[in-house]
Amino acid sequence: MGTGPERIMYPELWQPESMEEARKIADNVSPHYQWAAGTTLLRTQWEMGTAPVPKHLISLANIRELNACTTEEEGLRIGALMRLNACAAFERIQTHFPLLSQAIDVISAPSIRNLATLGGNIVSGVGDSIPVLLVYEASLRWMTDTGLTEKKLTEWLEEWRRGQRSADHFLTEIWIPLPEPKPEEESHTVSFFKKIGRREAFTPALVTIAFHGTLNAQGEWSSLAMAAGGGSGTAMRLFQTEKWIRQFPVSRLPLSELMKQVQDEFVTISDVFATDTYRKQAAAGLFASELWKSMRFARYSV
Ligand SMILES: Cc1cc2nc3c(=O)[nH]c(=O)nc-3n(C[C@H](O)[C@H](O)[C@H](O)COP(=O)(O)OP(=O)(O)OC[C@H]3O[C@@H](n4cnc5c(N)ncnc54)[C@H](O)[C@@H]3O)c2cc1C
């Protein structure tokens, strides 16, 4: 009498071929519907009984324009329906946004990544791609009931945290601005992504962190962004810590104080797998150890 597959009531499936058609279907069946992409997460939630099966399921998978990735002079537009494996292998993503490929490569297993989409990973609110997209300053474009609208990922996550996000809107694309050209020949990029789980692979994250910054020839930060998330907690940019780090040339960054800053700012959750204290300590330790490596290997060594 559990909540296993035998109990699932299957929804009516809609497969629109354009964004306008998807919008019309949604208006007709509202509010008893849900958007679907690769359905890797949805199926699991239904099977576990952690989310109800909707009466209508509107799959966005057949909308061609949501599957494309286009490069513009100032950035990259990634269709929300792009499969994770396709994103990770996309040359422009590997070249300009390597942390995104790294983050995707440790999501679940190849069979899931062949079906799962980047949009689904973001809209889940807890996907491992989110910290990386935060440090790359990504924005999201949504189809609302009044047309297309764009908002920063940070802004959307804030709505998510407050329970204010609208499930009526669907995500159409992710915009990532290309990094500014290096200010000087001598400048140096410090960039890393780390995920800690309960085992090495095929496991949900306990903590996920991302960092992206540029050092000038004097070892001072010309730009810097850091983010942390993990578990069912919503990822966040660590703006205060970023500001604090900027005071120090990299060779004089006080790492134990850095750890304290991260723990003070990172808001996360406790669950059956780990306490919030553990997650904060783990995130702080990861930032400190990775930055320590940068201090050692950059040419600004003490
Ligand atoms: C075994 C297993 C392991 C997993 N491991 C990981 C992991 O390590 N890291 C990780 O981050 N995730 C993991 N996941 C979760 C999931 O597979 C990913 O988050 C995946 O990217 C979700 O994409 P999807 O296209 O399958 O989304 P779906 O399951 O189709 O949708 C997920 C949610 O997003 C909504 N949605 C999807 N696309 C849109 C859109 N374009 N607009 C509006 N709403 C939309 C759906 O309504 C639903 O609420 C795992 C899942 C499984 C089953």
Side-chain angles (χ1 to χ4, degrees):
M1 310 305 261
T3 50
E6 75 281 1
R7 305 269 302 175
I8 290 180
M9 303 287 292
Y10 288 96
E12 183 165 351
L13 177 65
W14 300 86
Q15 294 177 288
E17 292 185 359
S18 72
M19 293 201 273
E20 293 70 26
E21 191 189 347
R23 199 61 267 168
K24 269 191 202 141
I25 295 168
D27 292 343
N28 286 337
V29 299
S30 179
H32 307 288
Y33 74 94
Q34 194 162 15
W35 304 112
T39 64
T40 59
L41 183 59
L42 281 174
R43 235 173 355 194
T44 312
Q45 290 175 335
W46 298 339
E47 284 168 9
M48 289 168 63
T50 53
V53 179
K55 211 164 157 198
H56 298 271
L57 191 66
I58 309 179
S59 167
L60 301 166
N62 286 352
I63 306 178
R64 274 208 180 170
E65 56 198 297
L66 302 187
N67 274 295
C69 187
T70 49
T71 316
E72 292 177 15
E73 207 171 302
E74 293 181 352
L76 204 61
R77 291 194 184 281
I78 308 174
L81 269 282
M82 262 193 93
R83 309 285 174 186
L84 292 179
N85 267 348
C87 285
F90 196 73
E91 195 202 329
R92 297 263 160 72
I93 293 182
Q94 289 183 346
T95 309
H96 298 295
F97 309 109
L99 296 184
L100 183 55
S101 295
Q102 287 174 32
I104 290 174
D105 282 345
V106 289
I107 291 176
S108 190
S111 54
I112 299 278
R113 296 196 294 270
N114 277 336
L115 282 175
T117 64
L118 184 60
N121 194 261
I122 297 168
V123 183
S124 74
V126 293
D128 288 335
S129 67
I130 297 177
V132 163
L133 292 168
L134 279 172
V135 299
Y136 285 144
E137 313 260 5
S139 298
L140 306 178
R141 183 176 277 196
W142 298 88
M143 176 60 119
T144 71
D145 34 15
T146 54
L148 287 167
T149 180
E150 195 159 314
K151 58 178 72 165
K152 293 230 169 236
L153 174 58
T154 41
E155 203 185 317
W156 179 76
L157 285 172
E158 197 46 51
E159 289 173 9
W160 173 278
R161 218 170 273 122
R162 294 200 197 120
Q164 291 171 343
R165 79 154 188 121
S166 172
D168 287 343
H169 304 167
F170 65 87
L171 181 62
T172 63
E173 69 184 26
I174 299 100
W175 163 256
I176 317 183
L178 279 174
E180 301 273 318
K182 282 190 181 173
E184 319 158 26
E185 192 59 28
E186 301 282 294
S187 59
H188 172 83
T189 301
V190 178
S191 207
F192 52 83
F193 163 81
K194 292 279 152 194
K195 167 176 169 175
I196 295 189
R198 280 174 289 126
R199 51 173 191 252
E200 196 159 331
F202 199 54
T203 184
L206 288 178
V207 174
T208 316
I209 62 148
F211 185 102
H212 186 63
T214 311
L215 291 164
N216 67 18
Q218 289 70 46
E220 294 154 348
W221 297 101
S222 343
S223 67
L224 158 63
M226 56 201 292
S232 51
T234 314
M236 62 185 286
R237 270 285 287 273
L238 301 177
F239 289 113
Q240 298 299 326
T241 309
E242 290 171 17
K243 198 169 156 204
W244 177 86
I245 290 180
R246 277 173 178 274
Q247 304 173 80
F248 307 97
V250 67
S251 59
R252 279 194 253 129
L253 185 62
L255 293 176
S256 53
E257 279 181 53
L258 165 73
M259 289 184 62
K260 186 172 175 321
Q261 288 285 334
V262 171
Q263 291 177 73
D264 285 349
E265 186 174 8
F266 180 29
V267 181
T268 180
I269 52 130
S270 292
D271 61 16
V272 289
F273 302 116
T275 61
D276 60 341
T277 310
Y278 174 85
R279 286 191 161 91
K280 283 165 181 262
Q281 284 171 350
L286 286 173
F287 279 118
S289 65
E290 292 303 312
L291 282 169
W292 177 74
K293 285 182 207 161
S294 312
M295 287 158 75
R296 289 188 62 212
F297 294 113
R299 51 184 214 85
Y300 322 100
S301 316
V302 273

